[in-house]
Amino acid sequence: MNQLVEVKVPDIGDYSDVPVIEIHVKVGDTVAIEDALVTLESDKATMDVPSSAAGVVKELRVSMGDKISEGTVVVVLEAAASSTAAAAPVAAPAPVKEAAPVAVPVALPAGSYNGPVDIECEMLVLGAGPGGYSAAFRSADLGMNTVLVERYSTLGGVCLNVGCIPSKALLHTAAIMDEAQHMSSHGITFAKPEVDLNKLRDYKDSVIKKLTGGLAGMAKARKVTTVRGVGQFLDAHHIEVTETTGTGSETIGVKKVVRFAKAIIAAGSRVVLLPFIPQDPRIVDSTGALELRQVPKKMLIIGGGIIGLEMGTVYSSLGARLDVVEMMDGLMQGADRDLVKVWQKYNEHRFDNIYVNTKTVAVEAREEGIYVTFEKANDKSTAPAEPQRYDMVLVAVGRAPNGLLIGADKAGVAVTDRGFINVDAQMRTNVPHIFAIGDIVGQPMLAHKAVHEAHVAAEAAFGEKSFFDVRQIPSVAYTDPEVAWAGMTEDQAKAEGLKVGKGVFPWAASGRAIANGRDEGFTKLIFDQETGRVIGGGIVGTGAGDLISEVCLAIEMGADAVDVGKTIHPHPTLGESVGMAAEVFKGHCTDLPPQKKK
Ligand code: FAD
């Protein structure tokens, strides 16, 4: 007899309320196990929700734009009893997991290697991004004999080579150019800047070289053995490294086998590509955009998340006119809308068009330009029906984890169909002596999360009682103004029906912001109504990314409004705005007009 089965969103890491951007099935469709049902898109990545059973779709329980989390029912299937092993019957729901339960050893088919060994070590770290090098250095500092495997010629991974650092080097340049122009309103007029793209690229590269060179030196000082090449597990205690050459990951056939007692997988993530986009030098991902090959007249950013908007800021300051297209109903998803509104207003001058609620459906490369066709997701979209011409297109629709590319199955490590590796609070995979950290274990894909996880994994592997137990992971858009948030957002609190209070200090009342000629921002603290503790905060304004650190500390320390408000902050600084937001919550901020009694 056929039975009805609810297919739910599996474990998607720390993320909740992730918007549905694509629905792949309709009622009546037949699906197989692992077929993609819907695609979700967070501010940093896209992920498919696979079907955990085979059958016919009887009911579709989600719509485009719905924000869904682990456990949300996506479809109800009519399935043959034999095909529902991993799924939950409607009558007796059971949790559906993409991968094996974390920290519980499972018998997955694993390899068994008995051949020669070139290097032996206590700790093997695969991948030298911020997660990997931090894990290797911490392991070595704890006294473990450590090998670090990296396919590229420099350490530092995405963050140092093609991510956080080069983007910030260029954003700094863009900010100085914008600031210089802004000075004309202060009576100081600079000549129009002359841009030498080659020199700017050299400067960016020199920043990368300084940092990655520093890492190589620190690895040496710690006696971490770095092995250059592509690593593939042979079994749960051996990895084969195929040597690479040049600056890329071209292999040269020479292989080495490393035997390890313990391992930390830190193989990171890669750019998500849209299948219908043709190969053309005028179409780039974030790595291509950082190469600064040209400054186009008219540029389209596909994907209105942080990475796209940061790169858009750089190109716009260098002279490009921008369009941005985003599936969701607003840019910079994840941040409270009031913060984003301030950024958007300040940046209106950069954009010709902002198409939200809009899907990109076709891209054609012609000699005279790149033609892009949009489709309205609903009536709120203002996208034109006819294809639009651009000189350059940046595709910034998210990143995918590398879990399926490292031979993890040979080591018995469970990987989800999207390539994520599930871990427990000590960053341990289902194989007890193998840990995983960073982008490969889930959202948010951020360097500071990877580094924190790295320390936990190394310490746990060494035998210490370390756990990943945090109250907040901050996010920052290093745009102008910057937008930063940590802990609970106001929108999230509303969606979850939590009783929260807030204190908002407008920078229009900050002496320092006014003196800087940049008083468009504000600082907001979110408090638990019952305990009075700070549980979240958001800042929009110049330097918000630095200012949010105090909010992070307040959340972690369980500080309340009195702790923050009574802390003497230096005057005149933008940092004062954090203390003043706490005073606003208490109702006695003397830098604002008298507040109504609560
Ligand atoms: P990665 O940095 O991806 O490193 C993984 C490493 O493993 C790579 O070096 C890779 O070559 C290596 N590797 C993979 N497979 C193998 C294999 N089989 N053999 C050998 N080596 C292998 N985050 C922030 O926190 N702040 C920011 O401002 C920020 N800006 C960003 C800007 C851009 C344009 C991009 C793309 C990302 C940005 N990020 C930012 C995200 C950040 O870069 C990542 O979250 C971070 O690099 C993840 O670190 P990781 O160690 O997990 O992996």
Side-chain angles (χ1 to χ4, degrees), residues 109-125 147 149 232-241 256-265 406-413 428-429 431-435 461:
S112 166
Y113 177 78
N114 295 313
V117 168
D118 300 288
I119 304 172
E120 299 234 17
C121 65
E122 193 176 351
M123 172 60 79
L124 176 280
V125 180
V147 169
V149 175
Q232 287 280 315
F233 286 98
L234 296 170
D235 66 17
H237 284 286
H238 296 90
I239 192 164
E240 181 179 74
V241 184
K256 280 191 188 122
V257 172
V258 183
R259 180 167 33 222
F260 57 87
K262 294 164 191 164
I264 297 175
I265 301 172
I406 54 171
D409 52 331
K410 297 258 178 63
V413 172
R428 205 181 290 270
T429 69
V431 178
H433 67 277
I434 301 184
F435 297 73

Side-chain angles (χ1 to χ4, degrees), residues 11-14 70 97-105 263-267 403 406 408 413-416 419-444 449-450 452-454 456-458 460 466-469 473:
D11 181 359
I12 50 173
D14 288 343
E70 181 180 353
K97 283 268 177 195
E98 270 194 81
V102 291
V104 178
I264 297 175
I265 301 172
I406 54 171
V413 172
V415 182
T416 72
F420 284 111
I421 296 176
N422 283 346
V423 289
D424 66 9
Q426 288 202 299
M427 312 312 298
R428 205 181 290 270
T429 69
N430 58 302
V431 178
H433 67 277
I434 301 184
F435 297 73
I437 57 170
D439 284 5
I440 208 163
V441 303
Q443 302 287 354
K449 188 206 69 151
H452 193 91
E453 291 173 341
V456 169
S466 281
F467 293 88
F468 189 82
D469 176 21
I473 301 171

Side-chain angles (χ1 to χ4, degrees), residues 44 126-133 149-152 154-165 167-168 227 229-232 241 266-271 286-287 290 306-307 310-311 399 402 405-406 437-440 444-450 474 476 478:
K44 287 270 169 170
L126 178 62
Y133 81 71
V149 175
E150 169 58 50
R151 62 187 165 180
Y152 292 135
T154 52
L155 306 184
V158 170
C159 181
L160 269 72
N161 292 286
V162 290
C164 329
I165 298 300
S167 60
K168 270 74 227 176
V227 178
V230 176
Q232 287 280 315
V241 184
S269 64
R270 63 192 185 282
V271 160
S286 57
T287 303
L290 286 166
I306 292 178
I307 292 177
E310 286 184 358
M311 290 317 303
R399 298 187 61 82
N402 288 331
L405 309 176
I406 54 171
I437 57 170
D439 284 5
I440 208 163
M445 289 190 180
L446 291 170
H448 40 272
K449 188 206 69 151
V476 181
Y478 296 88

